[in-house]
Amino acid sequence: MIAIANTHNNEYGGNATMSTSIYIPDAPIMPRSERVKSAFVETIVGRRGGLRSILTEVEAVAPTNATVLITGETGTGKEVIARAIHELSPRRSRNLIKVNCAAMPAGLLESELFGHERGAFTGAVNSHVGRFALADRGTLFLDEIGDMPLELQPKLLRVLQEREFEAVGSTRTTRVDVRVIAATNRDLRQMVRDGEFREDLYYRLNIFPVSLPPLRERKADIPEFVRYFIEQFATSMDKIIDTIPEDTMRTMVRHSWPGNIRELQNYVARAVILSNDGVFEPAPLEKFEPAPMEIANPTLEDKVRSEILAACQRANWKLGGPRGAAARLGLKRTTLFYKMKRMGIAPPEDHWQD
């Protein structure tokens, strides 16, 4: 049995939520002299393990104004690293503004980033200050940058190069001093080759790349994450859990966690709900289907099947639309649907798409 020490209260203070963040905002503020570095870094789970080399890079780039591109699978903590860069930079007393580029269509995203004037378009009854203006002298975090519409990318490139822009419906140029951090779980280099992402914008964003490893490559960090999440969720659910069975911990360390830290966090939350008598009760682990093995002598149908699977995966199993799987394959949506049905191709069971 593994006992959970009470000392984690001091290290990880704060209330639990279902947020994917592993940053603890209530950590004590350190004196600026010689402790700026530790003030935020000491609040990051895994800082002494798999993230050690990453945090060394973060500490090197944070004091500069260089644009940073953070890459990694979904759930690996890209936003945490973005906040670490901001908190360790001279801009830490200014705003860190976040924008999810995948959360809205091109028209709304342009207005959200650059603002708009009253009457600029139907429904614009008031003027709106964009995120670039709000982040002036601070940091702008562009999450899911790989999902930014192609038609909006030139305007972003101009802001990065010239530090100026015009709000939608305005002829007045606004100059800003903004440090940009971008993040994506997509392969931007492949998107550039496919004509889905501007090459000049890619190189402008990729001045200082930071690549986050998946949790399956950070197995030594899993026990620390588990203890941290147990304590957070037990507190929020008014439970006391002071013991983790060794077999349970061993099973969690061996699991591949395709959803990374976010999946582990949700798993621990479910398990805490089921736990009683102070013992961490494991919840059922979801099985992850590995990618099919490459066929030595593929038939024509095997090749077609592989192409359809690859296109669907890259389109996040969206069939229609200009960036959907059908468009990538040069097929009608109905034709692709028929082929998928005939070949038994379907999204994975745990796939969810809004």
Side-chain angles (χ1 to χ4, degrees):
M1 307 291 269
I2 302 173
I4 303 178
N6 291 330
T7 54
H8 288 288
N9 284 331
N10 296 328
E11 184 175 3
Y12 300 126
N15 294 327
T17 66
M18 287 300 291
S19 165
T20 58
S21 176
I22 55 173
Y23 158 63
I24 302 86
D26 295 332
I29 300 174
M30 302 288 189
R32 178 172 296 183
S33 59
E34 76 183 18
R35 288 194 170 184
V36 170
K37 169 181 166 181
S38 63
F40 183 84
V41 172
E42 287 300 313
T43 68
I44 297 179
V45 179
R47 62 192 177 277
R48 299 185 184 92
L51 280 184
R52 187 181 305 170
S53 61
I54 300 296
L55 292 176
T56 299
E57 296 179 7
V58 166
E59 290 161 4
V61 74
T64 74
N65 286 321
T67 303
V68 179
L69 178 61
I70 307 170
T71 58
E73 297 178 8
T74 297
T76 50
K78 294 185 287 294
E79 184 175 331
V80 173
I81 297 303
R83 180 171 289 278
I85 294 171
H86 173 74
E87 294 291 341
L88 295 175
S89 76
R91 299 171 181 264
R92 59 186 171 274
S93 62
R94 299 287 178 169
N95 291 332
L96 170 62
I97 303 295
K98 308 170 191 175
V99 180
N100 188 322
C101 298
M104 57 193 79
L108 291 179
L109 182 58
E110 182 178 14
S111 172
E112 191 67 20
L113 288 174
F114 306 110
H116 65 253
E117 295 293 328
R118 179 180 178 181
F121 50 83
T122 303
V125 295
N126 294 304
S127 59
H128 172 70
V129 178
R131 299 298 180 94
F132 266 101
L134 292 174
D136 190 27
R137 300 178 67 188
T139 305
L140 181 65
F141 176 50
L142 299 176
D143 199 7
E144 307 292 353
I145 190 67
D147 292 288
M148 174 172 282
L150 196 59
E151 61 268 26
L152 190 54
Q153 293 176 21
K155 192 164 185 177
L156 173 60
L157 179 63
R158 181 194 170 201
V159 183
L160 294 175
Q161 292 178 335
E162 308 296 336
R163 304 291 177 180
E164 62 182 29
F165 65 91
E166 289 83 34
V168 178
S170 174
T171 58
R172 185 177 69 253
T173 298
T174 301
R175 294 193 60 83
V176 289
D177 172 19
V178 176
R179 203 265 182 85
V180 173
I181 302 172
T184 184
N185 61 359
R186 304 182 67 179
D187 186 346
L188 293 187
R189 286 175 293 185
Q190 184 60 49
M191 292 181 67
V192 168
R193 289 191 287 268
D194 293 343
E196 298 175 350
F197 201 85
R198 289 182 64 105
E199 184 176 20
D200 47 6
L201 178 58
Y202 168 71
Y203 287 118
R204 189 63 186 80
L205 291 170
N206 199 42
I207 293 176
F208 193 92
V210 175
S211 179
L212 297 185
L215 188 57
R216 61 184 173 274
E217 296 177 9
R218 298 173 53 192
K219 290 186 178 294
D221 291 339
I222 290 178
E224 184 181 0
F225 276 115
V226 170
R227 295 186 183 98
Y228 166 66
F229 288 138
I230 285 177
E231 195 153 326
Q232 295 296 294
F233 289 122
T235 299
S236 70
M237 298 177 192
D238 197 23
K239 289 189 173 187
I240 297 176
I241 299 178
D242 51 20
T243 305
I244 308 172
E246 291 185 10
D247 288 345
T248 299
M249 182 66 83
R250 191 176 298 113
T251 298
M252 288 187 288
V253 170
R254 289 175 177 173
H255 190 62
S256 61
W257 301 110
N260 294 294
I261 300 168
R262 186 176 298 127
E263 181 187 1
L264 175 61
Q265 180 187 34
N266 293 338
Y267 171 81
V268 171
R270 292 195 301 272
V272 169
I273 293 171
L274 298 172
S275 298
N276 294 293
D277 301 323
V279 179
F280 182 71
E281 184 71 28
L285 280 168
E286 297 180 3
K287 293 183 178 179
F288 178 67
E289 295 293 333
M293 294 181 63
E294 186 175 348
I295 301 172
N297 297 300
T299 64
L300 177 60
E301 182 163 326
D302 291 331
K303 293 180 179 179
V304 171
R305 179 184 177 84
S306 296
E307 290 180 3
I308 291 176
L309 276 171
C312 288
Q313 290 167 355
R314 292 194 55 212
N316 196 28
W317 292 93
K318 182 179 179 181
L319 304 187
R323 299 167 66 183
R328 294 170 185 269
L329 294 166
L331 300 174
K332 292 183 178 179
R333 184 178 181 277
T334 52
T335 302
L336 175 58
F337 182 80
Y338 169 78
K339 288 179 178 289
M340 291 174 64
K341 187 175 181 181
R342 181 173 61 83
M343 295 180 178
I345 299 174
E349 292 181 0
D350 59 346
H351 174 73
W352 180 83
Q353 177 178 300
D354 55 10

